[in-house]
Amino acid sequence: MKPIFDLDDSEILKAGKFLAAFIISFSVIGFLLSLLPLESVEAFFALPTLAILKIFGLDGTLNTSAEPILIILNGLDMPISISYLCTGLMEVAIISAAVISSFGISLQKRAIGIVSAIATIIVFNLLRIVTSILFIIWFGLGVGGFSHDLLFRIFLFVVIAGFYYAWFGWATKRK
């Protein structure tokens, strides 16, 4: 019977090296990100979210004294919470750890990968948050909750796997 993955010892060693580096990098990056004041990171996403919502004619305020930070929209009975999972910090840690662990790629390309990953996460995260809030307002809490959960899962997969795939293709492309 032929094995599903026909890997030689050098490929297994490379995969093990990547996995070990990923676990260590993810742990270190996760720890360093945990040192950031969470309220500031939440506010970093809440402020532009409120500004974008104003473009759609929605007015409101932020309650930055609460944890998580709350967006209080006029005409909406319940505030919108911007919590840790809304910040994209987990995605930053995962993608950064994967990029760092990609041995054989220059440090310059890895640095570009990390910076562009953070920018991509910020943009997609804001889009996801605003879209979820608009769905709540336009279609109600049931549809809004479902779209939030669906968008969150899609966001996790597309941003992490999609970004890494695109970056790795760019970083390993021959001239």
Side-chain angles (χ1 to χ4, degrees):
M1 181 172 187
K2 187 176 181 180
I4 295 173
F5 297 107
D6 193 18
L7 300 174
D8 61 22
D9 288 346
S10 68
E11 291 298 316
I12 293 171
L13 187 61
K14 285 180 191 175
K17 185 177 172 183
F18 175 86
L19 188 57
F22 177 83
I23 292 168
I24 292 167
S25 298
F26 179 76
S27 299
V28 169
I29 293 167
F31 171 73
L32 292 174
L33 290 174
S34 75
L35 299 176
L36 293 173
L38 186 56
E39 296 84 4
S40 298
V41 180
E42 291 170 353
F44 178 81
F45 284 96
L47 286 166
T49 296
L50 189 57
I52 294 168
L53 290 172
K54 286 184 182 191
I55 295 170
F56 289 93
L58 301 167
D59 226 4
T61 58
L62 292 181
N63 180 350
T64 56
S65 64
E67 173 46 40
I69 290 201
L70 301 174
I71 298 175
I72 302 161
L73 294 173
N74 298 339
L76 195 60
D77 294 337
M78 295 172 41
I80 307 289
S81 299
I82 304 298
S83 67
Y84 168 78
L85 289 176
C86 298
T87 63
L89 290 175
M90 180 174 45
E91 292 86 346
V92 167
I94 292 169
I95 292 175
S96 297
V99 168
I100 288 169
S101 303
S102 298
F103 299 108
I105 296 174
S106 73
L107 290 177
Q108 180 184 10
K109 286 184 177 180
R110 287 192 260 176
I112 291 169
I114 292 169
V115 170
S116 56
I118 292 169
T120 300
I121 289 167
I122 290 170
V123 169
F124 273 91
N125 216 19
L126 280 171
L127 179 65
R128 180 185 61 82
I129 293 168
V130 169
T131 302
S132 295
I133 293 171
L134 290 174
F135 272 49
I136 290 169
I137 291 168
W138 292 340
F139 302 112
L141 194 53
V143 171
F146 175 75
S147 69
H148 174 270
D149 292 344
L150 183 64
L151 286 172
F152 180 73
R153 285 167 178 77
I154 291 171
F155 174 77
L156 280 173
F157 179 75
V158 169
V159 170
I160 292 171
F163 179 87
Y164 185 78
Y165 177 80
W167 171 80
F168 191 82
W170 169 79
T172 58
K173 184 170 56 173
R174 302 266 186 230
K175 288 187 179 184

